C-alpha cells in the first residue's frame, strides 16, 4: 500500500509540471495489511520527481457537465451473504442501512451479480451442469435462491430502485474444451490436471454454433428467471 501511495504522489506531481531537479514531500501514509487495518504512519523526507516534463494545465469546468454517473455500488456474492449471517439481526440491519439507505447510508445504487459461480462463491456451480443440454431444459437458479436473491431482496428493502447487471465468470463446464472451471492448474486452489490446463486469457469455450446458441439461451433464461424473482 505504501508504495502505491508514493506512486500516486509521483504521478500527481509530474502531472503538475514538476521537473527532475525538484522534490515533493510526504507527511503521512495509511496502509492496510493482514495484521492491521488502516494503519496511519507519520513520515518525513523528500522524494525527487523522476521525469522532466512540460507543465500541464488541468482545467475543471464545474459549470459544464459532460457526463452522467449511473451510480455507485459494489457486488453481491455468496460469501458476503454468508458473512452477514454471522451477525445478529440488529447488526445486520445496520450494515444494510449503512450501504443502501438513501437518507443515512452510502446510497449504493448499482450492483453486479455473477451468472453462476465467481471467486467469492461458496463453491463452484453453474445454472446447468447437464452435459449436452443444448435446449437448457435443466436450467435452474435454485442455487441463487439460497443466497444471492435473498441478499438482493434485502438490499432492495432500503433501495427499491437498485440497478443490477450480471456477468459470467465461466460457462457450464461441458461448454469448455477442458471441462473444468479453471484455466491454470494450481493444487492449492483447484483439481485441474496439468495436462488439461490452458493459457490465461485464451478462450476455452467450444466455439461451435450449437454451443454458442445454447449459451445465448442460458443467458436468456437467466434474465427471465431473475425477472420472475
Amino acid at each position: 500500500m505504501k508504495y502505491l501511495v508514493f506512486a500516486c504522489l509521483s504521478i500527481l506531481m509530474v502531472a503538475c509540471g514538476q521537473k527532475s531537479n525538484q522534490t515533493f514531500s510526504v507527511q503521512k501514509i495509511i496502509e492496510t495489511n493482514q495484521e492491521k487495518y488502516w494503519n496511519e504512519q507519520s513520515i518525513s523526507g523528500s522524494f525527487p520527481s523522476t521525469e522532466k516534463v512540460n507543465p500541464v494545465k488541468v482545467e475543471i469546468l464545474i459549470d459544464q457537465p459532460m457526463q452522467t454517473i449511473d451510480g455507485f455500488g459494489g457486488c453481491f456474492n455468496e460469501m458476503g451473504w454468508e458473512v452477514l449471517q454471522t451477525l445478529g439481526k440488529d447488526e445486520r440491519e445496520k450494515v444494510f442501512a449503512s450501504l443502501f439507505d438513501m437518507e443515512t447510508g452510502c446510497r449504493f445504487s448499482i450492483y453486479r451479480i455473477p451468472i453462476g459461480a465467481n471467486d467469492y462463491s461458496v463453491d463452484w456451480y453453474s445454472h446447468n451442469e447437464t452435459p449436452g443440454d443444448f435446449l437448457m431444459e435443466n436450467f435452474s437458479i435454485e442455487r441463487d435462491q439460497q443466497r444471492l436473491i435473498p441478499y438482493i431482496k434485502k438490499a432492495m428493502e432500503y433501495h427499491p430502485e437498485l440497478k443490477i447487471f450480471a456477468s459470467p465468470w465461466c460457462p457450464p463446464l461441458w461448454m469448455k474444451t477442458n471441462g473444468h472451471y479453471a484455466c491454470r492448474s494450481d493444487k492449492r486452489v483447484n483439481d485441474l490436471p496439468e495436462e488439461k490446463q490452458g493459457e490465461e486469457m485464451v478462450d476455452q469455450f467450444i466455439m461451435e454454433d450449437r454451443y454458442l446458441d445454447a449459451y445465448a439461451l442460458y443467458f436468456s433464461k437467466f434474465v427471465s428467471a431473475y425477472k420472475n424473482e
Side-chain angles (χ1 to χ4, degrees):
M1 176 65 86
K2 66 179 68 176
Y3 301 113
L4 176 61
V5 173
F6 291 158
C8 290
L9 285 171
S10 297
I11 292 170
L12 285 171
M13 296 308 294
V14 169
C16 291
Q18 295 293 324
K19 296 182 180 180
S20 59
N21 61 348
Q22 294 179 310
T23 61
F24 63 91
S25 61
V26 177
Q27 283 76 45
K28 72 176 180 180
I29 61 172
I30 299 174
E31 65 176 345
T32 295
N33 56 46
Q34 290 181 331
E35 285 73 39
K36 195 168 185 179
Y37 298 145
W38 305 112
N39 181 29
E40 185 174 313
Q41 299 181 32
S42 297
I43 188 170
S44 61
S46 297
F47 306 87
S49 58
T50 57
E51 279 192 57
K52 184 176 181 179
V53 296
N54 294 325
V56 176
K57 179 181 179 181
V58 178
E59 185 176 3
I60 301 175
L61 306 174
I62 60 175
D63 59 338
Q64 298 181 35
M66 303 295 291
Q67 63 187 31
T68 58
I69 297 174
D70 289 335
F72 293 92
C75 53
F76 291 110
N77 296 307
E78 286 191 335
M79 286 187 179
W81 178 253
E82 289 294 304
V83 170
L84 285 167
Q85 303 318 298
T86 67
L87 300 175
K89 181 179 179 180
D90 291 344
E91 288 77 14
R92 192 160 56 242
E93 291 292 341
K94 289 179 181 178
V95 171
F96 277 96
S98 295
L99 294 174
F100 299 103
D101 192 282
M102 296 302 288
E103 297 293 334
T104 62
C106 291
R107 297 184 292 177
F108 285 163
S109 59
I110 185 166
Y111 261 68
R112 182 191 67 197
I113 59 174
I115 302 178
N118 70 351
D119 294 341
Y120 295 95
S121 297
V122 172
D123 51 34
W124 160 258
Y125 75 99
S126 81
H127 297 297
N128 188 356
E129 282 302 312
T130 304
D133 185 8
F134 294 100
L135 297 179
M136 289 293 144
E137 293 177 340
N138 294 286
F139 179 93
S140 173
I141 62 165
E142 182 179 356
R143 169 70 175 255
D144 288 1
Q145 291 169 334
Q146 300 173 31
R147 297 181 180 89
L148 286 182
I149 290 174
Y151 199 172
I152 295 167
K153 287 185 175 181
K154 186 63 184 178
M156 292 180 72
E157 291 180 12
Y158 290 89
H159 190 350
E161 301 302 319
L162 189 71
K163 295 180 181 179
I164 298 170
F165 68 95
S167 176
W169 264 242
C170 180
L173 303 186
W174 54 276
M175 294 185 176
K176 293 188 65 180
T177 56
N178 71 349
H180 199 282
Y181 63 84
C183 172
R184 185 177 59 201
S185 178
D186 188 336
K187 294 180 180 179
R188 297 171 300 175
V189 294
N190 65 56
D191 60 355
L192 177 64
E194 291 187 7
E195 64 271 16
K196 287 190 175 183
Q197 67 180 354
E199 184 179 348
E200 290 284 356
M201 306 306 295
V202 174
D203 199 347
Q204 289 186 292
F205 189 89
I206 301 174
M207 299 296 287
E208 298 176 8
D209 286 348
R210 59 177 181 164
Y211 286 91
L212 293 167
D213 289 345
Y215 203 26
L217 182 57
Y218 180 86
F219 291 144
S220 176
K221 282 183 171 288
F222 178 86
V223 172
S224 296
Y226 263 77
K227 182 179 180 180
N228 290 336
E229 292 288 336

